[in-house]
Amino acid sequence: MTEREQINTYLTTLSRYLSRLDKGQADEVLREIESHIFDVIEATEQRGQVVDADQILQGFGSPRSLAQSYVEHVTQGTPPPEGFAAIGPVRRNVTKTLYYGMAVFGFSIAAALILTGFANLIVPDSVGVWSAAGGDSIVVGMVSDKVPPGDELTGFWYTPLAVILGYLLLRLTVSVMQVLKRQLA
Amino acid sequence: MSDTATKWDAQLRKGSLELVVLAALAPGPRYGLALLNHLHQFDTMQITEGTLYPLLDRLKRDGVISANWQQQGDERPRKYYALTTEGQQRLTDLGARWRQSVADIEALLQQAA
């Protein structure tokens, strides 16, 4: 890549990261940085030195971080329109709903797995995993009907499988809830 | 320069760079590279392009500096930054505050010695 191409690539990448600004502002930023780079190239050539694109671009940092320092204060400097103050409480409620939703979802499925796992020891015929709909689907759980919907796949192995899965799900739920709780605080 | 000194410079600049830029523009308008080269003459003002340009952009939004593309002679147009009236005022205010801080720290150092 020539020095010129390298600089163009940098500016193109930067313009992509600046897309959160409106077009006029982004163009202005690009124009100024381009102008700076030309100034440096000119001064370097006047001194009879070789232009080193890496060295010129180094001071600007990565296109991403440079764009971020432009975009950050634009977004921070813009106060939200009136009425948007409600977003805070709404967001918190969403997190609360998520927190309790996650708890109900995770714990109930984990409990169902573990309970059916132990139930399999007592009533092995009613508990298990069945192949259904000609193998296209499976049925997991506890059935009252003595006629299962297909071939049972697991037999005794349902117990350790369900207990382990239930335990893992319990652990996962607890750790997800911890993360959500930090968000709530 | 020692690592401690570099870190100290960076910390101190974080809060004072706005004042530095306003002061550097007080004698007259400058464009980006000229301003950067001017600052680089000072030992503790070795800032990068990536720090200066976004800061200039912010100061312009704050209304303390203005920016205008100007062409001088055959040269390519350059974006010149200048203090606004508000910028003059901010420079006076922050300058006074800075001198107060320096005097306070100096007094504390005197007591420490």
Side-chain angles (χ1 to χ4, degrees):
Chain A
M1 209 184 329
T2 67
E3 306 300 304
R4 189 53 64 102
E5 278 168 356
Q6 197 180 337
I7 287 163
N8 281 340
T9 307
Y10 183 93
L11 291 171
T12 313
T13 314
L14 178 64
S15 78
R16 230 185 9 249
Y17 283 120
L18 285 173
S19 58
R20 282 187 68 193
L21 298 177
D22 65 51
K23 183 143 176 31
Q25 289 175 334
D27 286 349
E28 181 67 21
V29 170
L30 289 168
R31 191 182 165 200
E32 181 171 30
I33 288 170
E34 198 178 16
S35 162
H36 173 101
I37 292 170
F38 281 138
D39 276 340
V40 176
I41 291 177
E42 251 176 42
T44 311
E45 283 172 348
Q46 273 169 16
R47 284 197 304 268
Q49 292 170 341
V50 180
V51 172
D52 180 357
D54 278 330
Q55 205 189 343
I56 297 174
L57 296 174
Q58 192 186 25
F60 283 104
S62 77
R64 189 179 180 171
S65 65
L66 180 62
Q68 213 161 25
S69 35
Y70 276 103
V71 173
E72 241 164 36
H73 69 249
V74 171
T75 45
Q76 281 172 1
T78 316
E82 258 174 68
F84 271 53
I87 281 182
V90 168
R91 190 184 294 149
R92 205 204 303 282
N93 284 339
V94 166
T95 318
K96 253 183 191 162
T97 313
L98 208 65
Y99 181 74
Y100 292 113
M102 185 68 219
V104 170
F105 176 80
F107 289 141
S108 58
I109 294 184
L113 277 170
I114 293 170
L115 287 176
T116 52
F118 285 115
N120 188 39
L121 298 175
I122 306 163
V123 276
D125 286 347
S126 312
V127 179
V129 178
W130 289 273
S131 164
D136 287 340
S137 178
I138 56 164
V139 172
V140 184
M142 196 167 175
V143 291
S144 58
D145 213 323
K146 274 291 172 191
V147 188
D151 299 328
E152 191 180 342
L153 302 172
T154 47
F156 166 78
W157 289 103
Y158 181 79
T159 298
L161 209 65
V163 170
I164 289 170
L165 275 177
Y167 173 72
L168 289 177
L169 187 61
L170 210 64
R171 290 276 302 270
L172 181 69
T173 308
V174 169
S175 47
V176 170
M177 283 178 73
Q178 276 169 351
V179 173
L180 289 177
K181 192 161 196 170
R182 274 203 297 277
Q183 297 286 320
L184 268 177
Chain B
M1 197 178 9
S2 76
D3 193 36
T4 318
T6 314
K7 273 188 192 151
W8 165 257
D9 283 354
Q11 285 290 333
L12 194 61
R13 268 204 306 265
K14 225 177 245 175
S16 60
L17 201 56
E18 179 176 338
L19 173 61
V20 165
V21 169
L22 292 177
L25 290 176
R30 285 181 207 269
Y31 61 94
L33 181 60
L35 180 58
L36 192 71
N37 288 338
H38 178 63
L39 293 179
H40 279 182
Q41 293 172 7
F42 300 92
D43 189 40
T44 59
M45 295 298 153
Q46 305 300 314
I47 59 166
T48 64
E49 292 85 342
T51 304
L52 180 65
Y53 281 103
L55 174 66
L56 288 170
D57 188 60
R58 180 169 71 76
L59 294 178
K60 202 188 89 181
R61 277 170 215 282
D62 286 354
V64 291
I65 62 175
S66 62
N68 283 301
W69 286 94
Q70 283 174 25
Q71 191 165 12
Q72 289 180 345
D74 288 342
E75 290 181 335
R76 274 176 312 95
R78 284 167 175 150
K79 195 175 178 181
Y80 280 80
Y81 291 94
L83 283 193
T84 61
T85 320
E86 209 181 314
Q88 293 277 3
Q89 187 57 48
R90 171 105 40 115
L91 174 60
T92 311
D93 295 346
L94 293 182
R97 208 64 198 147
W98 170 261
R99 292 203 165 103
Q100 180 66 52
S101 295
V102 171
D104 291 348
I105 294 171
E106 187 56 41
L108 285 164
L109 285 175
Q110 292 279 340
Q111 288 169 22

